[in-house]
Amino acid sequence: SEGKRRAGFLRGASVPLSAMLKRVLIANRGEIALRVRRACREAGIETVSVYSQADAEALHVQLATRSVCIGPPRAADSYLNSQALLSAAIATGCDGLHPGYGFLSENPEFADACAENGITFIGPSGDAIRKAGSKSAARDLMRAAGVPVTPGSDGPVSSVEDALAVAETVGYPVLLKASAGGGGRGIRRCDSSKDLPDAYAAAKAEANACFGNDEMYLEKLVLEPRHIEFQILADRQGHVIHLGDRDCSIQRRNQKLIEEAPARCLTPELREEMGRAAVKAAQAVHYEGAGTVEFLLDSDGQHFYFMEMNTRIQVEHGVTEMITGVDLVRQQLRIASGLPLDLTQEDVTLTGHAIECRINAEDPTANFRPCPGKVEFLHFPGGPGVRVDSALYNGCTLSPYYDSLAAKVMVHAPTRLEAIRRMRRCLEEFTLEGFPTNAELSYELLFHPTFVRGGCTTAFLDRSLPELLEFSRRVDDHKG
């Protein structure tokens, strides 16, 4: 077929440098800034890093060929300052800008502003971000495209009374969710009508503070679901493929803690059906670049529902790279340069099993209180099938101004059980002195029978937390 000829030609030949972007501003910080820099470096693309005053000694700045200070420590004055980022890109002659994840990565106005200033935004267009990024609008698009969605409001709910009426129709429990939300923020559960007014006000306030947009929608809460997401790639020529699935069901407060790929709970037939739905979802918004379509799989393991679409590279993209051998950031750079995908759906093969543990600077015994501080001693695990993405180094300080992510520890092995054993070994080697992390909690979780059997739902961690914390107090016995 034409697709296979195209893919075979492009994969076998090196892409001429003249076809790629020349210089990219990396509009982010930390480990994702390093990840993007590495991909650009290998593709022969120059980079410019940015930093706030708090990040002057950060690793992504120390390794940069060129860097620009964009403002004071607060994210609102630096990494969320679109004008400062655009000015830096223009002043340094960048023809591309990679937003990473978080900050302005899903801001349609920022994507538009890049285009208006002749800078290629390495991601979808502002219009596609609006369609997919507004959770309520995306639900309507998915219905029209034939992608299953959970029962809920048709568009945003404009008042408490509106929300109460929808909740009465679909039945409790329900979720109030920010239309522009992400990262587990702007979400509140309501089990009855008496809970809803306060939850509505709290969710709107959090959404406005985090996203500058307090629009809300409502959907029925699917009890005991699994959180399954599909990685997609789409080029400007209209080709869309998926690169398999990830199970992100281990989460607390809607924040993912452990991700793995592929999902053990999916049959080949269900994986194929959900993959087709993910492709249809991307086509519905005329998507371009790398993105993720997220689904809820109900407790019977047969019915799935569209939850949301993330219009950016995901924190957990590495596990997909490990099982497919596809460099997703390199693909983003190719697509943004106007090149077609260099692989077809038939070329995508899922090999082995990969697991990621997010190591955060937080104290699980103190309600997961963030605990940034100075790194007194640091040692990362290694060996076959091991990858660690982090911006930490001995003597550095994890800033209190930003996300508490300290490191992403990833493993790959032929089978899921071997991957679990490899991750256990890695967390035994992982050493970070200077502040608390959730590493011991993750280690204990890897021994829990429910996790080993692959039976965890999104409710698992909250329900099992007391038991896991008790085990983690005896972690030295396990390690011995």
Side-chain angles (χ1 to χ4, degrees), residues 343-411:
L343 69 166
T344 66
Q345 191 65 64
E346 292 77 14
D347 297 319
V348 178
T349 303
L350 309 185
T351 303
H353 198 88
I355 300 175
E356 172 181 285
C357 286
R358 299 193 194 189
I359 308 302
N360 299 318
E362 59 190 13
D363 186 354
T365 65
N367 200 28
F368 292 93
R369 174 176 56 87
C371 298
K374 183 177 180 180
V375 177
E376 303 294 343
F377 178 77
L378 178 67
H379 174 73
F380 289 141
V386 177
R387 167 178 164 181
V388 180
D389 286 7
S390 176
L392 296 187
Y393 60 90
N394 279 300
C396 77
T397 297
L398 185 67
S399 174
Y401 292 101
Y402 314 114
D403 189 83
S404 63
L405 180 66
K408 302 185 310 189
V409 180
M410 291 167 272
V411 301

Side-chain angles (χ1 to χ4, degrees), residues 21 23-26 89 94-98 118-122:
L21 294 165
R23 184 177 297 157
V24 168
L25 187 90
I26 305 173
C94 292
D95 57 347
L97 182 148
H98 197 301
I119 299 168
T120 299
F121 183 80
I122 302 174

Side-chain angles (χ1 to χ4, degrees), residues 149-356:
V149 300
T150 51
S153 59
D154 294 327
V157 288
S158 57
S159 65
V160 171
E161 291 73 24
D162 190 11
L164 285 166
V166 176
E168 191 66 30
T169 300
V170 301
Y172 291 93
V174 298
L175 286 178
L176 283 163
K177 303 177 77 171
S179 290
R185 295 176 176 86
I187 300 176
R188 293 294 186 279
R189 172 176 173 166
C190 302
D191 291 302
S192 69
S193 58
K194 68 179 181 181
D195 301 332
L196 201 146
D198 287 346
Y200 183 81
K204 282 178 74 71
E206 185 176 45
N208 191 53
C210 293
F211 314 113
N213 181 341
D214 67 355
E215 183 179 271
M216 306 298 298
Y217 71 101
L218 183 147
E219 66 182 22
K220 178 146 181 83
L221 176 62
V222 181
L223 296 173
E224 300 285 330
R226 296 176 189 265
H227 182 142
I228 308 295
E229 60 187 29
F230 274 73
Q231 178 70 54
I232 58 100
L233 287 174
D235 63 24
R236 295 179 183 174
Q237 289 74 24
H239 307 111
V240 184
I241 64 171
H242 72 82
L243 287 89
D245 54 282
R246 299 185 288 255
D247 188 338
C248 306
S249 299
I250 304 293
Q251 45 185 266
R252 49 107 188 153
R253 298 176 189 161
N254 302 303
Q255 296 274 0
K256 300 166 187 172
L257 182 64
I258 294 180
E259 300 99 352
E260 54 183 309
R264 186 178 184 276
C265 58
L266 299 186
T267 64
E269 295 76 19
L270 185 57
R271 176 171 290 113
E272 184 175 348
E273 182 183 356
M274 294 178 75
R276 286 197 301 268
V279 169
K280 286 199 289 186
Q283 292 169 332
V285 300
H286 304 291
Y287 198 77
E288 174 188 321
T292 304
V293 181
E294 303 196 352
F295 298 103
L296 292 178
L297 180 67
D298 69 9
S299 56
D300 67 9
Q302 300 295 320
H303 301 92
F304 65 92
Y305 306 97
F306 171 83
M307 182 169 63
E308 62 185 28
M309 185 172 183
N310 291 307
T311 56
R312 53 172 167 79
I313 196 75
Q314 289 280 89
V315 176
E316 62 272 19
H317 72 275
V319 292
T320 293
E321 292 181 327
M322 293 179 109
I323 65 167
T324 62
V326 176
D327 184 331
L328 293 173
V329 180
R330 179 67 178 265
Q331 291 293 331
Q332 286 186 297
L333 297 171
R334 286 178 50 87
I335 293 167
S337 298
L339 296 169
L341 291 175
D342 61 352
L343 69 166
T344 66
Q345 191 65 64
E346 292 77 14
D347 297 319
V348 178
T349 303
L350 309 185
T351 303
H353 198 88
I355 300 175
E356 172 181 285

Side-chain angles (χ1 to χ4, degrees), residues 250 257-260 353-359 409 411 416-428 438-454 456 460-461 468 471 478:
I250 304 293
L257 182 64
I258 294 180
E259 300 99 352
E260 54 183 309
H353 198 88
I355 300 175
E356 172 181 285
C357 286
R358 299 193 194 189
I359 308 302
V409 180
V411 301
R416 184 173 183 268
L417 183 56
E418 289 174 286
I420 291 173
R421 289 171 173 163
R422 181 162 287 169
M423 182 61 82
R424 290 171 181 167
R425 188 267 298 171
C426 284
L427 293 185
E428 289 168 0
N438 62 352
E440 290 186 356
L441 173 63
S442 298
Y443 181 76
E444 291 299 339
L445 203 155
L446 294 171
F447 287 90
H448 197 286
T450 303
F451 176 79
V452 175
R453 291 195 305 267
C456 295
F460 166 77
L461 185 55
L468 290 165
F471 285 157
H478 286 296

